[in-house]
Amino acid sequence: MLPDDLDLDILAADWVWETDAGLRLTRVHGRFAALTGAAEPLGRPWPGLDGDPDDDAPLRSPIPFRDVIRPHRHRDGRTRWFRFGGAPLLAADGTVTGWRGLGAELSGPAVAELERARRCEEQSRRFDEQSRRFEAVVENLPLGVSLFDADLRLTAHNERLRDLFGLPQELLRPGTPLERMIRTSAGAGNYPHLNPDEAWDYVSARIAQRVRLQRERHLPDGVLLKTTIAPLPDGGTLVVHEDATDRARADARLAEQNRWLDHALAHMSHGLVLFDADHRVTVVNRQFLDLYGLSPETVHPGITAEELIHRRTEAGNFPGLRPEEAWVQVSERLAARTRYRLDQTLTDGRVVAVTYAPTPEGGFVTVHEDVTAAKRAEAQIVHMAHHDALTGLPNRALLHEGLAEALAQAPASGGATAVLCLDLDRFKTVNDTLGHAVGDKLLREATARLTAAIRDEAGLATLARLGGDEFALVLRPTSRFRAGRLAGRLIEAVGRDYEIDGQRVAVGLSVGIALGPTDGQDPEGLLRAADMALYRAKAEGRGVHRFFEPAMDAAIQTRRSVELDLRAALAEQQFALAFQPFLDLATNRIAGFEALVRWHHPVRGVVSPAAFVPIAEETGMIVPLGEWVLRQACREAARWPTSLRVSVNLSPVQFRSGDIDATVIAALRDAGLDPHRLELEITEGVLLQDNASTLAILHRLKRLGVRIAMDDFGTGYSSLGYLRAFPFDKIKIDRAFVADLAVRPDALAIVRAVTTLADSLDMTTTAEGVETEEQLAHLREAGCTEVQGYLISRPVPSEAVAPMLTEDGIVQPSPTAFSPSGSSRGREAEPGIQSRRR
Ligand code: C2E
Ligand code: CA
Ligand code: CA
């Protein structure tokens, strides 16, 4: 069935074939299967066609073809070469319906030639591909690359080269001599310190060495350039430039960091050791060695943690442990691989805080700090929190703790728990007059005596200082009798005279005793009970001890209710003034009246100022009350003959409130009273407080014309001293001296001395509490200016003042005349309590 026009060549073919229009075989004859290795050829593409349209183009042409040579991979893996020839099959309308032709395997030298050509082609294809890839790499390298042939002419370069040097494009054409490039580059300053000639000499000399060379230099724009010149086997030269600026900077930064680290390690106050993942020392600083007394010869990078612990044990860092034991302890902690901190006490007593922290690399770091001083300070602070700095005695907090403990143990051990509250008598006066330094010494001396006095109690007594001149003592187990006896010993010991800085000082001791559990079950209750007993001891003359009695509680309750009542009293106008005249001895006329406050209590009747003034002072109520007294006294006095003065008592607390002078001025102005008619009586308590500002106030008042009188003169500690501190207008000699005039011969001498002194200082003197004619005679003889007392008149209500004044104001000193017993107008219920305020 072969076409008639086939030539003989083709007839020599190995097979006959036919395909459809899509070049898929539809028929084969001959050795096709054997030659191609195909099992089932029909429906498959022509052998040798691997789907590449270029390859099968000649076969698709609608004209006959011949000598198409194609390689084909046999099933056995070897490649065979075939030659084809054929012609299209045409339908009646001339369209191609397929092809038909012959195929034959080639053999002999022709195949060898074909194989060689194919290999060549393959190689150059691969080479092309490689060089394409290579070029892409070179082009994208952060390096400037240039290649020169043996004649030192440019053969290749990348873009980066141009960027680095800023060379013109025309200079970078293949064939440009290296010399031209160098000279241009040198002209642009790329070779610092070299002119173009020198630069070329330099470069050409280096290339001539034909060895790989590396050099770094800085370009004018600051770039650090690293240049590598490498000779190539073909006689050419490869030049690679690297911008090493960033790397150099990073290196510099790293070096800097390391320097800092070294510096920090050397100068940190802590000891530090860094271990790697194998638990070997990699870094150890000087401080670590110094801290533990280790030598750099035995402890250095490279040794293991275990060896280090051994060295440290030998150096006495782990008291009481053998090296192996110490290591077991440490390694157990290391195994946890969590951060920890512990305080370690060394053999010599120093305390080192060790912090251990694992590092992300699997190692760990330990930091060692000598905290001995801090620990000591801490202990001291704890001590300070529980002890009084001045005397070293336990303070209130510690006493409370101890007392709570004693009370808790009491039921088991039996016996009473005694709490003694101690208070030094007259301490405040000593402190205020002789100074705090003397006061402190006195407290220390008194503490020493108290401590000595309880030594016999052999650890059963605890003494504490509660503050100021207050102490407390807990004694247990004990009895009422023993507590009382101890109190007596304490009073005796503290009461002996002191010699401080060459001065004789005397203080006393008052003691209040409460016994637990009868007087109180808890520390607060017991201390409160002892405090009430102390209050009683003070009230009953000081220098004594008193046991708590339930009635004292009631007394305190009364006090508290007075405090509450006082507030209401002012609002409800329960206060009134009584007036007591003072007589001028030269003229026998009433010179004025002292205003004395009275409280008309709706239930308790008339309450003595001695009973409520101290409470009013404690609560601050004295400030509004004092202002009321001042205003009321000024208003009353404004109605009296202008020759009469009014004197008003001022409390120290009123001075502390700050604006007493403004209050006085306002009272005078509102009453329309001449300041010269007002006398203010102050006690030494006023001068005891903040002297500068008090004196300033007194001077301001005096400048206004107000007279200032020193009240209760002679009762204080250093009355004479106060006379020098301020130019008083008047001294009121305390009634204690007046009462003593008849019985104590020196009393008269004292009064005489005072009047003489007052006279020389231009002050007047008023004797208080004059009750008898005899006293009056003595006082007149001693040179007193004025007298005041029941002999002249008791304090009277304000409406009784006017009748007391005769037409010419001259008053006869007669007790009956001025203290008309039985007369409800002239007589005033005198409060029984006569207490002297400090
Ligand atoms: P004081 O300033 O020394 O007042 C004199 C006290 O002695 C008055 O007692 C008066 O009634 C009393 N007295 C007068 N003559 C005699 C006498 O011949 N014999 C005796 N035994 N006593 C006499 P009072 O009124 O009970 O006042 C007591 C203290 O209360 C006063 O002592 C004064 O310190 C204070 N006080 C009275 N009123 C006020 C006031 O308005 N303000 C202030 N801050 N204190 C006042
Ligand atoms: Ca007075
Ligand atoms: Ca007085």
Side-chain angles (χ1 to χ4, degrees), residues 278-353:
D278 300 329
H279 289 190
R280 280 182 187 280
V281 173
T282 55
V283 172
V284 52
N285 71 354
R286 181 84 233 169
Q287 288 78 330
F288 176 81
L289 302 177
D290 293 349
L291 186 62
Y292 293 118
L294 302 167
S295 85
E297 284 73 45
T298 54
V299 173
H300 48 75
I303 69 166
T304 62
E306 184 173 358
E307 285 167 323
L308 176 58
I309 294 302
H310 277 244
R311 296 294 96 76
R312 286 190 46 198
T313 316
E314 288 154 15
N317 295 170
F318 294 89
L321 290 185
R322 284 182 291 117
E324 309 81 58
E325 293 168 337
W327 171 242
V328 168
Q329 264 189 16
V330 172
S331 57
E332 269 168 12
R333 282 195 297 265
L334 293 183
R337 283 204 66 72
T338 48
R339 194 187 161 86
Y340 69 76
R341 196 195 126 114
L342 78 160
D343 290 339
Q344 208 169 25
T345 307
L346 309 186
T347 315
D348 60 9
R350 279 181 303 147
V351 182
V352 178

Side-chain angles (χ1 to χ4, degrees), residues 580 594-598 608-610 613 622 629 649-651 654 681 711-712 735 768-771 789-790 795 830-831 834 837:
Q580 186 181 34
E594 177 177 4
L596 295 160
V597 68
R598 296 290 176 264
S608 155
V613 165
I622 194 70
V629 169
N649 295 284
L650 289 186
S651 157
Q654 285 172 277
E681 298 188 9
D711 204 356
D712 302 344
R735 63 177 162 275
E768 289 188 288
V770 183
E771 293 181 352
Y790 293 172
E830 270 296 317
Q834 287 294 335
R837 287 173 310 123

Side-chain angles (χ1 to χ4, degrees), residues 28 278 322 491 499 564 791:
V28 285
D278 300 329
R322 284 182 291 117
I491 291 168
E499 169 120 8
L564 290 176
L791 179 68

Side-chain angles (χ1 to χ4, degrees), residues 458-792:
L460 300 176
T462 313
L463 179 68
R465 180 171 173 228
L466 305 185
D469 56 347
E470 282 178 67
F471 297 80
L473 197 150
V474 175
L475 184 66
R476 90 138 279 110
T478 191
S479 62
R480 187 183 167 90
F481 172 72
R482 281 185 51 202
R485 202 178 48 185
L486 177 62
R489 278 213 306 277
L490 299 176
I491 291 168
E492 188 276 323
V494 171
R496 277 181 272 125
D497 276 4
Y498 296 78
E499 169 120 8
I500 293 170
D501 294 346
Q503 304 194 58
R504 277 179 90 76
V505 182
V507 290
L509 185 71
S510 298
V511 182
I513 308 172
L515 295 164
T518 331
D519 299 339
Q521 271 87 25
D522 53 8
E524 292 80 30
L526 214 45
L527 272 164
R528 198 167 355 101
D531 204 47
M532 284 184 232
L534 172 65
Y535 190 79
R536 173 64 59 87
K538 287 246 170 215
E540 293 184 2
R542 305 172 173 204
V544 295
H545 73 267
R546 287 292 175 266
F547 283 94
F548 171 79
E549 290 157 22
M552 292 176 185
D553 225 351
I556 299 285
Q557 293 306 325
T558 311
R559 204 173 144 77
R560 218 161 275 150
S561 82
V562 167
E563 190 180 320
L564 290 176
D565 281 7
L566 264 176
R567 295 187 188 281
L570 196 64
E572 289 167 19
Q573 300 184 324
Q574 293 173 9
F575 293 105
L577 290 185
F579 291 94
Q580 186 181 34
F582 41 91
L583 194 76
D584 184 333
L585 285 183
T587 61
N588 273 350
R589 285 163 171 248
I590 289 177
F593 291 83
E594 177 177 4
L596 295 160
V597 68
R598 296 290 176 264
W599 182 7
H600 297 280
H601 192 278
V603 182
R604 278 179 243 155
V606 179
V607 184
S608 155
F612 68 81
V613 165
I615 302 173
E617 286 179 330
E618 275 170 36
T619 56
M621 277 298 293
I622 194 70
V623 175
L625 175 60
E627 181 174 351
W628 178 85
V629 169
L630 196 61
R631 286 177 170 278
Q632 188 64 21
C634 289
R635 262 200 300 270
E636 292 283 347
R639 302 209 306 255
W640 303 339
T642 53
S643 64
L644 294 179
R645 305 194 299 268
V646 65
S647 74
V648 175
N649 295 284
L650 289 186
S651 157
V653 179
Q654 285 172 277
F655 279 82
R656 246 174 276 155
S657 78
D659 53 358
I660 181 68
D661 43 345
T663 307
V664 170
I665 292 165
L668 287 168
R669 188 194 52 218
D670 293 353
L673 189 72
D674 182 345
H676 294 95
R677 296 180 58 200
L678 178 64
E679 268 178 9
L680 297 176
E681 298 188 9
I682 63 168
T683 54
E684 66 173 33
V686 170
L687 288 176
L688 283 178
Q689 55 197 17
D690 180 15
N691 238 302
S693 80
T694 304
L695 284 177
I697 294 171
L698 289 176
H699 278 288
R700 270 204 296 282
L701 290 169
K702 199 174 153 83
R703 273 198 299 277
L704 280 176
V706 175
R707 290 162 55 91
I708 311 290
M710 155 128 272
D711 204 356
D712 302 344
F713 183 84
T715 58
Y717 201 83
S718 183
S719 301
L720 283 171
Y722 292 122
L723 288 188
R724 256 174 270 131
F726 185 78
F728 288 97
D729 296 284
K730 173 166 165 176
I731 298 167
K732 297 190 78 174
I733 299 169
D734 192 74
R735 63 177 162 275
F737 287 94
V738 176
D740 282 356
L741 278 177
V743 285
R744 267 176 61 188
D746 61 330
L748 186 61
I750 291 172
V751 171
R752 204 174 270 141
V754 171
T755 54
T756 312
L757 177 72
D759 208 37
S760 71
L761 291 171
D762 223 11
M763 299 174 184
T764 58
T765 43
T766 306
E768 289 188 288
V770 183
E771 293 181 352
T772 64
E773 294 286 353
E774 191 191 357
Q775 288 166 349
L776 179 65
H778 279 307
L779 292 165
R780 202 185 278 280
E781 190 232 333
C784 262
T785 329
E786 293 169 350
V787 287
Q788 183 182 358
Y790 293 172
L791 179 68
I792 291 77

